[in-house]
């Protein structure tokens, strides 16, 4: 399945050379002193030669040490260059993870921006004030995919800017994942993707007359712009929860299935904990260890990190 770009509504639109100088002053005064002076001269010359050799050896050793130091410095610099990008990304991620208030983080090196918006989530008769993540993923130079459009469509569209929205992709139909979906889709003429088993929850928010155009199911995949996106089945928090895995970015957007340090709750409870754990173990933690897990709420994490936590959840 491939989405082409769609027209978007527009309004007008960086030696000393160490020399050992030996002065030999040999002045003959008497014949009896010749032998002694010759001996002194020989000793002096030998001493001078020894000093010359020592100086040469010192200079050579110094040169060798300098070359070794240069080689080590080059090697260290090369190793540093190889890890600069990873370190920068890690630092960015750590800074991002410290942010919990409403706002925008990114885009990062992979073209992913996180928009945090505040809203009220009502579930099972209980209301709670939450801050949710909406992920805006650069699909190519012209357009983006919006994942889990949460509470504030205006804030999300401001980050999108003049780019096109190729697709609005929802991990499930709880309101923090779809609340702004219709507004964004209508404003940008984008299609909405949702699992068909989420239609009942969708109707509670948007009614029956507005339906998502694209049905997605676990095991499927599609292409949007330059991205290939695999759909992962992640039932547990709801019957039709899915994740969107982009291997070329090393990122998976898992909605409320797995948050940093814990399986995700819905309204403070687990809907189907056994199924949710199976989804996490079989479909998220089997991804490459350095894959980033970008959830619907809170900071990002990685497959490697959460794999260490899994046994404590079982």
């Amino acid at each position: 399945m491939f989405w082409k770009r769609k027209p978007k509504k527009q309004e007008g639109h960086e030696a000393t050379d160490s020399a050992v100088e030996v002065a030999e002053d040999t002045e003959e005064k008497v014949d009896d002193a010749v032998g002694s002076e010759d001996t002194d001269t020989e000793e002096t010359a030998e001493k001078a030669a020894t000093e010359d050799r020592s100086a040469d050896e010192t200079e050579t050793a110094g040169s060798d040490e300098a070359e070794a130091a240069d080689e080590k410095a080059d090697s260290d610099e090369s190793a540093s260059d190889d890890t600069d990008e990873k370190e920068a990304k890690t630092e960015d991620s750590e800074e991002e993870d410290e942010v919990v208030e409403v706002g925008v983080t990114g885009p990062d090196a992979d073209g992913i921006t996180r928009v945090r918006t505040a809203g009220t989530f009502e579930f099972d008769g209980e209301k709670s004030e939450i801050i949710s993540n909406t992920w805006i993923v650069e699909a190519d130079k012209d357009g983006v995919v919006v994942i889990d459009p949460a509470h504030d469509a205006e804030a999300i569209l401001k980050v999108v800017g003049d780019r096109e929205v190729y697709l609005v992709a929802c991990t499930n139909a709880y309101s923090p994942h779809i609340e702004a979906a219709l507004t964004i889709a209508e404003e940008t003429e984008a299609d909405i993707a949702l699992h068909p088993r989420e239609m009942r929850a969708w109707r509670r928010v948007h009614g029956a007359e507005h339906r998502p155009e694209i049905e997605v199911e676990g095991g499927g995949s599609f292409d949007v712009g330059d991205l290939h996106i695999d759909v992962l089945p992640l039932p547990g928090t709801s019957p039709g929860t899915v994740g969107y895995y982009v291997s070329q970015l090393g990122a998976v957007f898992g909605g409320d299935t797995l948050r940093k340090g814990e399986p995700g709750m819905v309204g403070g409870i687990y809907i189907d904990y056994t199924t949710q754990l199976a989804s996490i173990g079989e479909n998220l933690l089997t991804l490459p260890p350095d894959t980033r897990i970008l959830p619907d709420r809170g900071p990002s994490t990685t497959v490697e990190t959460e794999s260490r936590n899994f046994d404590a959840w079982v």
Side-chain angles (χ1 to χ4, degrees):
M1 190 179 297
F2 180 79
W3 274 266
K4 296 183 179 179
R5 297 198 300 271
K6 303 173 70 174
K8 178 181 176 182
K9 296 178 182 177
Q10 299 182 358
E11 297 180 1
H13 293 10
E14 216 207 0
T16 58
D17 288 330
S18 174
V20 179
E21 297 178 355
V22 180
E24 296 178 357
D25 187 8
T26 58
E27 181 178 350
E28 296 181 4
K29 295 181 179 179
V30 292
D31 292 340
D32 293 342
V34 169
S36 175
E37 290 180 357
D38 287 344
T39 301
D40 291 343
T41 301
E42 290 173 0
E43 290 176 353
T44 302
E46 183 178 353
K47 180 180 180 181
T50 301
E51 291 177 352
D52 284 342
R53 286 194 300 271
S54 176
D56 289 343
E57 290 171 358
T58 300
E59 183 176 355
T60 301
S63 176
D64 290 344
E65 291 174 359
E67 289 178 3
D70 288 343
E71 290 176 359
K72 184 178 185 301
D74 290 342
S75 175
D76 291 345
E77 183 177 355
S78 175
S80 176
D81 289 342
D82 289 340
T83 58
D84 276 349
E85 184 174 350
K86 281 187 177 179
E87 290 176 351
K89 186 178 291 188
T90 300
E91 289 172 3
D92 289 344
S93 178
E94 289 173 352
E95 290 177 3
E96 171 190 323
D97 289 352
E98 294 173 359
V99 179
V100 294
E101 72 272 11
V102 169
V104 178
T105 304
D108 63 12
D110 293 320
I112 301 173
T113 302
R114 180 173 72 159
V115 184
R116 303 176 302 280
T117 62
T120 302
F121 177 42
E122 183 173 359
F123 182 79
D124 199 23
E126 298 290 332
K127 293 183 179 181
S128 56
E129 300 300 316
I130 61 174
I131 294 178
S132 300
N133 298 330
T134 294
W135 301 97
I136 300 176
V137 188
E138 184 179 299
D140 58 28
K141 64 182 181 64
D142 297 316
V144 300
V145 176
V146 176
I147 299 178
D148 282 352
H151 316 287
D152 190 338
E154 184 178 351
I156 296 167
L157 288 169
K158 183 177 181 180
V159 175
V160 171
D162 293 332
R163 295 172 295 180
E164 299 176 33
V165 175
Y166 298 156
L167 183 67
V168 176
C170 306
T171 56
N172 63 35
Y174 292 127
S175 63
H177 306 167
I178 67 168
E179 191 170 338
L182 272 182
T183 301
I184 293 171
E186 290 172 355
E187 179 67 23
T188 63
E189 299 183 352
D191 289 337
I192 300 172
L194 184 70
H195 194 289
R197 295 189 68 181
E198 294 298 296
M199 283 308 303
R200 176 178 296 180
W202 170 274
R203 288 194 292 268
R204 295 193 191 104
V205 179
H206 294 302
E209 64 274 19
H210 302 286
R211 295 179 57 88
E213 292 81 7
I214 308 297
E215 293 186 352
V216 292
E217 296 195 21
S221 65
F222 51 87
D223 296 295
V224 182
D226 296 334
L227 301 179
H228 179 76
I229 303 175
D230 291 307
V231 182
L232 307 182
L234 298 176
T237 57
S238 72
T241 297
V242 297
Y244 298 101
Y245 173 50
V246 189
S247 59
Q248 67 209 85
L249 302 183
V252 59
F253 304 87
D256 53 19
T257 300
L258 178 58
R259 302 184 183 124
K260 186 175 183 179
E262 62 182 5
M265 289 185 173
V266 180
I269 64 173
Y270 291 110
I271 306 300
D272 186 344
Y273 191 69
T274 300
T275 301
Q276 186 175 352
L277 281 186
S279 293
I280 292 170
E282 296 171 6
N283 298 320
L284 287 179
L285 302 187
T286 53
L287 297 174
D290 59 350
T291 301
R292 290 188 293 164
I293 301 172
L294 307 179
D296 69 326
R297 196 184 310 170
S300 62
T301 185
T302 66
V303 167
E304 182 177 22
T305 297
E306 301 311 324
S307 293
R308 293 195 292 266
N309 295 325
F310 187 75
D311 287 347
W313 305 331
V314 177

